Amino acid sequence: YYVVASYRSVGYAQRFIDGRKKLGAQVINGTAKGRPVYRVAVGPVSAPERGTVHRRLVAAGFADTWSVRLSAPTAPIELASAE
């Protein structure tokens, strides 16, 4: 996965994704300094695809991305719509 943004609110993370559907990103929950964070990540990305995906993200304006490897399955968070 490549992380393109991190938020303390799942709502902000989801809004980021909603405004950039072409990225194919998802929200992955985690912790930083003991606090919950919600990372906007593109992936999973296989080893042969890493360079191509990173170049695509940089070209889209996400120069400050970093890769992460998940050690345990983490399901994306989905928000229920209030329709």
Side-chain angles (χ1 to χ4, degrees):
Y1 289 87
Y2 276 100
V3 176
V4 296
S6 292
Y7 295 94
R8 289 194 178 150
S9 161
V10 69
Y12 288 134
Q14 190 61 49
R15 274 184 244 148
F16 182 93
I17 289 173
D18 290 345
R20 295 158 184 88
K21 297 254 186 222
K22 289 183 180 182
L23 278 179
Q26 58 187 314
V27 177
I28 298 175
N29 60 332
T31 58
K33 297 182 182 179
R35 301 173 98 179
V37 293
Y38 303 93
R39 294 188 172 105
V40 177
V42 175
V45 179
S46 67
E49 297 175 304
R50 286 183 192 145
T52 302
V53 171
H54 188 258
R55 282 189 296 276
R56 185 182 116 217
L57 292 170
V58 169
F62 300 102
D64 191 21
T65 65
W66 69 93
S67 63
V68 293
R69 181 178 292 169
L70 301 179
S71 58
T74 302
I77 296 173
E78 294 185 26
L79 300 176
S81 78
E83 293 182 40

